[in-house]
Amino acid sequence: MRTLVGIDKCPNCGGKLNKDRNILKCEYCDYTFKIEGSKDMSAAIGKADDGFIKTDWFDFQVQLKKLQRGPDSKKTLKSFNYCINELGTAEFIRDYIAQSILPDYGLYAPGIKEDKLDPFLKRLDGKVTRKDNILFYANTGLFSSGKHGFILTDEKIVFSGKKVPELYYSELTEMAFSTKDDFVGIYLNHMDVYQMFNISSGAFTALGALAALIAALAFEENPGREKIIISEYKDYFDQNN
């Protein structure tokens, strides 16, 4: 039996789940789940003095309150913390995104709005194909029709751009959260080319969840790796003035 935060569709087959007390059972494939009813996103913030729950994954070099300068950044950080602190594994975070977030706004996955995924794959110079284990695709241009964004596989994240930047989870060292004009992006390894932009239509909950999934994949690939730095993004001008 797996333990999941409450959902209404079976993540195994997509079938209907029937509830008996705190147990959910799929009426199609008989998969069984336990509901953790007390775990919701409102409980994921503020359990430590600086706002983060300390884990073995992160080296926090900024206080949570400094990153929450508006409603959009609060949504992103709440989602990030919820996925890290309450779900805690890549499998559970993937299930949460698939069941609670897809296909909202500009976030898609194989089998969900294929017309958005295929045009984007054509722009990635073969660095991601249908043969890869694609997890999610985020469209970051409101009118881009699948031309701009980033895509997650089980081993790396690939971004649209002239040189099609790609970052393997084993290479991830830092997540820098921007705070200017509220939330505008997460800069992996503090680099502009690895920026996770706001997803189309302002899917800030999705953006936080995807950042958490990337961290989980990095540590599940190598549990003994160095901690990921959590920081406030500073661009080149800021760092030299």
Side-chain angles (χ1 to χ4, degrees), residues 150-165:
F150 55 88
I151 193 166
L152 277 67
T153 74
D154 60 346
E155 62 178 12
K156 64 183 178 180
I157 178 171
V158 181
F159 304 80
S160 61
K162 291 183 179 180
K163 296 184 178 180
V164 190

Side-chain angles (χ1 to χ4, degrees), residues 144-198:
S144 72
S145 300
K147 296 178 182 179
H148 302 287
F150 55 88
I151 193 166
L152 277 67
T153 74
D154 60 346
E155 62 178 12
K156 64 183 178 180
I157 178 171
V158 181
F159 304 80
S160 61
K162 291 183 179 180
K163 296 184 178 180
V164 190
E166 59 183 339
L167 181 68
Y168 285 84
Y169 302 130
S170 59
E171 300 170 341
L172 179 64
T173 60
E174 182 176 357
M175 288 184 168
F177 291 78
S178 64
T179 57
K180 281 189 175 181
D181 301 319
D182 195 24
F183 189 83
V184 296
I186 300 171
Y187 296 77
L188 305 181
N189 289 2
H190 218 122
M191 297 177 65
D192 289 351
V193 294
Y194 300 140
Q195 180 183 176
M196 297 171 64
F197 255 126
N198 288 347

